[in-house]
Amino acid sequence: MHRSKMAARPAAILDLKKPSRPQSSAWVQQFFLLALFFTGLMLLHAPLLRLPYFWDEAGYYIPAARDLFLTGTLIPQSTLSNAHPPLVMAWLALAWHIFGYSTLVTRTAMLALSAFSLLGLFRLSRIAANLPVAWATTALAAIYPVFFTQSSMAQVDLPAAGFTFWALAAYMEDRPWKEVLWFSLAALTKETAILAPLALLGWELLGYFIRRRWDERWNKILPPAGRRTHALYLLLTVLPLAGWYAYHYAKTGFLLGNPEFFRYNVAATLNPLRVPLALGMRFWQLFGYFSLYLLTLAGLLAMLRPPQLEGKTENAVARPRIPFWMQAAFLAVVLAYLAFMSVVGGAVLARYMLPVVPLVMLALVATLWRRVRYWKLIVGAVAIAFVAGLFSNPPYGFTLEDNLAYRDYIVMHAEASRFLAMRYSGERVLTAWPASDELTRPWLGYVNANVNQPFRVVRIEDFSASQIDVAAMGRDRFDVALVFSTKYKPAHALFEKWDAWQRINEKFFGYHRDLLPEDIAQRLGGTISYHEERNGQWIAVIAVER
């Protein structure tokens, strides 16, 4: 950067800059870090790289990417379009075109995006705080169970978070065109990523109003005066996403996905009772989920302590905090996600909050660094808790994709599919989604089309008593049933016996109780020919007796 441009920047920004070095040196350093993050992720995920596709991977993202790979169409043909922007699907199609179609290529391509996301978080943390905080925050994010499992999955939330980190780093450095680029890519990865630039736009406009009407005491929480970034740049980030929606509407006649997708994720969620309940769940995902409460509690307690001093006794200075205006910008983004994700989204999934959970981690780690002498020990304890959460299920309900429980699910379903293929090849199978896709789409990795005859699937919604009773009335339509647990149920759930909570869950969050295999076999008039259990999950094959 030229000296004349640097001189024009406000002191609040210049203080954050490191001594200038050649641009080529900076690129080499970033490439080295990217390679380091990618290698670490590959080593940690090595046992998971050949797993078949799981849940929403199999239901939407892989079919959409495969359609793009085979036909070049941006609108999925083998599944109903949800209007998700196509950037990640295009990335997977490119990887398959170069290296061939396989789960190994898919998961490696996603890990490359995850490494890039970690690099973005590292840069953002270093700009906002310092190098020790950047390393600690990046390490915690990488092993946080939700971030870890999503790192190799063919889904869009983590890449969208990564582009958001890069955009926020450019925003902090006041590099408006880079900011526009990264925010635009984030929105083309997942539409909800547009929340971040819109939140910053609102904060910029509020800052303009405050400066005109209030005194200078508020200036420390506002973006520094004289920055090149302004509302126009943030508004530009909306254009690529608007262009995608216009294209989608022209091709399908639907603006925000197919009608069922819109009903489930928007129309059915706009309930004045559901919103505060969802907000409470989002707060938990942001500050408490999978041992995050340990980091939150440590950060809050650290606030009671004075800052640590650095330097010689006579010239000691307090360790600096993240500048107030940066904290305010982070808070604007976090509040935008909390509010929006509490209003829309049929499933209150933790992965939807990935763009903001690392921001909370950054703020808490920076607080510990500033105020606690042995802050590394606390970060180490939290890291151990995160790793434990990967392998052990919590005492409350959670989504299987949020820790390695998803691997148990995949392994059980793959083994049950092989059993079906050996014993009941070509038979009519009663089951529910996603097993209905696993049995009929060999390219998902569960059955071998070259060896096994295709299954004829009779699909039901779930394995609740009402659905099983309906299926039992038409037993002549299927020969065998593949039944499985569709969600994790803790052994001693906190609200298990609270009927009011169960009714609320059923009404607003799609909760249902799966019957056990023995009960299903009795209602269908069949016998269990295969049964497996792993860490609170189960799967069974039931042969229907004539």
Side-chain angles (χ1 to χ4, degrees):
M1 183 176 294
H2 298 295
R3 292 183 181 273
S4 60
K5 291 184 179 180
M6 290 186 66
R9 290 195 172 192
I13 299 176
L14 288 175
D15 289 343
L16 297 172
K17 303 296 288 182
K18 304 295 184 292
S20 61
R21 60 178 180 268
Q23 188 68 21
S24 58
S25 175
W27 279 102
V28 169
Q29 184 186 75
Q30 292 196 36
F31 180 80
F32 173 78
L33 287 173
L34 180 64
L36 177 66
F37 293 151
F38 178 70
T39 302
L41 287 174
M42 286 290 290
L43 291 174
L44 292 174
H45 286 261
L48 310 172
L49 296 181
R50 296 185 183 274
L51 290 177
Y53 299 114
F54 172 79
W55 214 264
D56 284 347
E57 287 186 301
Y60 185 80
Y61 296 109
I62 292 300
R66 187 172 180 270
D67 289 344
L68 178 56
F69 171 60
L70 295 176
T71 67
T73 176
L74 294 174
I75 306 296
Q77 305 296 315
S78 59
T79 186
L80 292 175
S81 175
N82 291 348
H84 290 316
L87 191 60
V88 168
M89 281 70 89
W91 169 253
L92 291 178
L94 176 63
W96 295 336
H97 180 75
I98 297 174
F99 300 105
Y101 177 84
S102 71
T103 53
L104 175 61
V105 171
T106 302
R107 304 209 180 281
T108 302
M110 295 308 300
L111 286 178
L113 292 180
S114 301
F116 188 73
S117 301
L118 287 177
L119 180 58
L121 178 60
F122 180 86
R123 290 193 72 252
L124 175 61
S125 302
R126 190 174 185 182
I127 292 168
N130 53 58
L131 192 58
V133 170
W135 280 115
T137 302
T138 305
L140 284 181
I143 60 175
Y144 176 58
V146 181
F147 195 104
F148 182 91
T149 57
Q150 292 298 314
S151 292
S152 60
M153 284 191 180
Q155 299 186 135
V156 296
D157 300 274
L158 194 149
F163 286 126
T164 300
F165 301 151
W166 281 90
L168 287 172
Y171 178 81
M172 300 306 172
E173 291 185 311
D174 193 24
R175 297 181 177 179
W177 286 113
K178 286 188 176 181
E179 172 189 326
V180 170
L181 171 65
W182 295 125
F183 275 136
S184 298
L185 290 176
L188 289 176
T189 300
K190 187 173 184 184
E191 61 279 4
T192 52
I194 201 64
L195 290 172
L198 292 181
L200 294 177
L201 172 63
W203 179 240
E204 290 275 348
L205 296 177
L206 180 60
Y208 176 77
F209 175 81
I210 290 175
R211 280 198 179 93
R212 286 178 59 89
R213 294 182 177 269
W214 294 355
D215 58 54
E216 295 182 355
R217 288 179 299 176
W218 291 90
N219 284 347
K220 64 180 181 180
I221 68 169
L222 299 176
R227 284 165 49 88
R228 292 174 295 171
T229 296
H230 52 73
L232 177 60
Y233 288 107
L234 293 168
L235 280 174
L236 288 176
T237 62
V238 178
L239 296 181
L241 182 61
W244 161 251
Y245 276 129
Y247 174 81
H248 187 273
Y249 181 78
K251 291 292 184 179
T252 66
F254 303 123
L255 184 63
L256 300 175
N258 65 79
E260 175 57 24
F261 176 81
F262 181 81
R263 183 204 65 79
Y264 178 73
N265 286 285
V266 181
T269 64
L270 301 178
N271 184 289
L273 178 58
R274 184 189 186 278
V275 170
L277 293 172
L279 180 62
M281 297 169 71
R282 292 304 187 192
F283 264 107
W284 171 245
Q285 292 168 354
L286 197 57
F287 297 104
Y289 198 53
F290 273 102
S291 299
L292 269 175
Y293 62 86
L294 295 176
L295 185 60
T296 301
L297 181 61
L300 292 176
L301 291 177
M303 292 293 293
L304 302 177
R305 299 175 58 84
Q308 293 289 302
L309 300 179
E310 289 185 336
K312 296 182 179 180
T313 304
E314 61 274 12
N315 297 317
V317 294
R319 286 182 174 180
R321 59 166 53 91
I322 296 176
F324 280 120
W325 74 270
M326 291 188 181
Q327 295 187 46
F330 291 157
L331 180 61
V333 176
V334 169
L335 291 178
Y337 267 85
L338 273 175
F340 187 82
M341 293 300 178
S342 300
V343 175
V344 303
V348 189
L349 300 177
R351 72 171 190 254
Y352 294 167
M353 302 297 286
L354 279 176
V356 290
V357 168
L359 301 184
V360 173
M361 290 184 183
L362 169 57
L364 293 171
V365 170
T367 299
L368 293 173
W369 171 84
R370 183 171 187 253
R371 297 177 180 272
V372 180
R373 182 177 181 183
Y374 299 106
W375 67 278
K376 292 181 181 178
L377 294 179
I378 298 176
V379 171
V382 174
I384 292 172
F386 282 176
V387 173
L390 274 171
F391 297 94
S392 60
N393 296 336
Y396 47 80
F398 72 103
T399 308
L400 296 179
E401 67 181 6
D402 291 346
N403 76 351
L404 291 177
Y406 89 95
R407 182 188 179 277
D408 293 335
Y409 173 98
I410 291 176
V411 170
M412 288 197 308
H413 278 239
E415 292 176 351
S417 298
R418 285 193 289 270
F419 176 83
L420 276 173
M422 289 187 297
R423 182 75 66 87
Y424 304 103
S425 181
E427 298 285 356
R428 300 171 298 172
V429 181
L430 175 76
T431 192
W433 184 86
S436 55
D437 287 350
E438 296 164 5
L439 295 178
T440 56
R441 295 180 168 181
W443 38 271
L444 294 178
Y446 290 88
V447 295
N448 191 333
N450 297 324
V451 177
N452 311 125
Q453 295 182 23
F455 291 101
R456 292 166 290 171
V457 169
V458 178
R459 178 174 163 180
I460 55 177
E461 290 300 317
D462 51 54
F463 304 110
S464 60
S466 59
Q467 286 289 301
I468 293 300
D469 288 342
V470 171
M473 297 172 61
R475 284 184 297 175
D476 58 332
R477 297 186 299 122
F478 55 91
D479 307 299
V480 63
L482 176 63
V483 300
F484 54 93
S485 52
T486 58
K487 51 177 58 69
Y488 174 74
K489 182 180 178 182
H492 304 286
L494 296 177
F495 304 108
E496 177 69 22
K497 297 181 179 180
W498 189 12
D499 291 337
W501 175 247
Q502 300 297 339
R503 288 195 296 270
I504 290 173
N505 254 335
E506 292 172 2
K507 180 177 181 180
F508 296 125
F509 303 109
Y511 178 81
H512 68 272
R513 295 172 184 253
D514 293 319
L515 293 176
L516 294 176
E518 296 79 9
D519 297 328
I520 297 175
Q522 181 179 10
R523 290 173 185 248
L524 293 181
T527 57
I528 298 175
S529 58
Y530 178 91
H531 184 215
E532 185 179 2
E533 294 187 10
R534 282 175 180 250
N535 300 323
Q537 300 182 62
W538 55 264
I539 192 168
V541 175
I542 299 173
V544 178
E545 299 177 357
R546 301 300 180 195

